[in-house]
Amino acid sequence: MKSIFAAFMKLPTTKVGIATAILFQLIFTIVWMTGYQGITERLDHLNVAVVNEDKVYGEQLITSLQSSLPVGVRTGMTLAQAQQQLQERDIQMIIEIPADFATTVQSQNPAQLHYFINESNPIMIKNMMTSIADKVTANVNKVAVESGLKGVFAGQLPEQQAQTAATMMSQRVVSDIQSVNPVQGMNNQMVPMMMILASYVGAMIMGQNFQISSKALASRFGRWSRMSVRLLVTAGASIVVSLVGTSLVALFGGQLGHGFMALWGFQALFLLTFMLVAQMFLFVFDMAGMLFNILILSVQLVSSGAMMPRELLPDFYQWIGSAFPATYAVQGLMNLLFGGTGVGKDCLALVCIMIVALIIIGIATALRKDKLPVSPLVAIAES
């Protein structure tokens, strides 16, 4: 038993396996602990737009919101302009103060503040904005209505009656929260992250095996022919694998906002990009490139916006996320699955990253030398 244990531990693959497990712990801990540090301290990087249509009370309410909300407050836009920014995820919620707000409160009928939340975002956005909407309405009920309308009534009623009327109506404001691009269940909410994780891990493992296959053929075929066949097989695999992935999402009730074909085509594009980026490190660093792939996987999971809003991440992770394909894959998936502004910009970004990866693969191939074939006589002599 001791002899086989010693022999097993001496094998390079055993040592590499243990080292890889340790590296996973090291890389993921460092990246995730630094990437998610200070999330709650950057809430002011999120923004809500206030559309004011009430000339009596609106400006007073906006002033109150600007001083009390933990997020940024944008004003001076129409509802249509705000809705466009909401679709583009430049803002995370719209607060609309209707034109009849003050009049409705005075009439003792429930006055509504209208909220619009884009659910085509990480789940944290919906939860946070819903909580903010509740707090805004409560603040209007308890503070703004009572104190503000007391001044409105003061010129018409005795002070005591004005105070009584204002207090009576201080619970007469309600929330009207409308979901834009609603997501049907947590299972659908997690689809973008699942597809990113499955696609990049699959691309890593496939690239590793392709590298082994390519090295096994090095003595029989030149580097350019091996590279060409490898890239051709990679392109074909991206189409087949994405078809399987999209079909499974549809089979299990996935929310396909723009249809099956659109999702399949987009997944094929970002999966091919993932495959080329993963193999790029292998072309440059050989099997040591897997260490870079592990690092890039962790960085992309943090910086892509699949789990946490990118606006809340440290500047470094926002910057580096813009350089890797997962960010654009997440944005495009959210647009296709739930709704948004389309995937044109995301497709363009993925194509650019793909071209860069291909250029680096070509350079790495050009710098390598073909392995000279061993003649039969030499092989016999060596044996």
Side-chain angles (χ1 to χ4, degrees), residues 77-88 91 94 116:
M77 64 184 75
T78 65
L79 182 59
Q81 292 171 334
Q83 288 175 332
Q84 179 63 29
Q85 290 193 23
L86 187 68
Q87 289 283 356
E88 295 173 353
I91 59 174
I94 300 172
F116 301 87

Side-chain angles (χ1 to χ4, degrees), residues 7-73:
F8 184 81
M9 292 303 297
K10 288 180 180 179
L11 291 173
T13 50
T14 302
K15 297 176 182 178
V16 170
I18 295 173
T20 301
I22 294 173
L23 280 171
F24 262 101
Q25 295 292 321
L26 179 66
I27 290 172
F28 271 74
T29 299
I30 292 175
V31 171
W32 287 47
M33 291 298 289
T34 57
Y36 291 141
Q37 185 177 17
I39 286 285
T40 56
E41 299 171 5
R42 288 185 285 271
L43 294 182
D44 59 339
H45 291 188
L46 301 177
N47 292 283
V48 300
V50 181
V51 178
N52 178 30
E53 299 174 352
D54 184 278
K55 304 304 181 183
V56 177
Y57 183 64
E59 292 301 324
Q60 181 181 346
L61 179 54
I62 289 174
T63 301
S64 175
L65 293 176
Q66 288 174 329
S67 62
S68 62
L69 290 184
V71 297
V73 177

Side-chain angles (χ1 to χ4, degrees), residues 196-227:
I196 297 303
L197 181 59
S199 297
Y200 200 84
V201 172
M204 287 170 51
I205 303 304
M206 190 189 80
Q208 181 183 30
N209 285 277
F210 280 13
Q211 183 72 7
I212 295 172
S213 298
S214 180
K215 292 174 71 175
L217 298 174
S219 62
R220 298 168 54 192
F221 301 98
R223 63 189 187 278
W224 292 107
S225 58
R226 284 184 287 123
M227 183 201 75

Side-chain angles (χ1 to χ4, degrees), residues 280-301:
M280 174 187 72
F281 292 108
L282 293 166
F283 270 96
V284 175
F285 301 106
D286 199 16
M287 295 305 293
M290 288 301 292
L291 301 179
F292 289 90
N293 277 325
I294 295 171
L295 174 62
I296 296 307
L297 170 64
S298 181
V299 169
Q300 289 189 107
L301 288 177

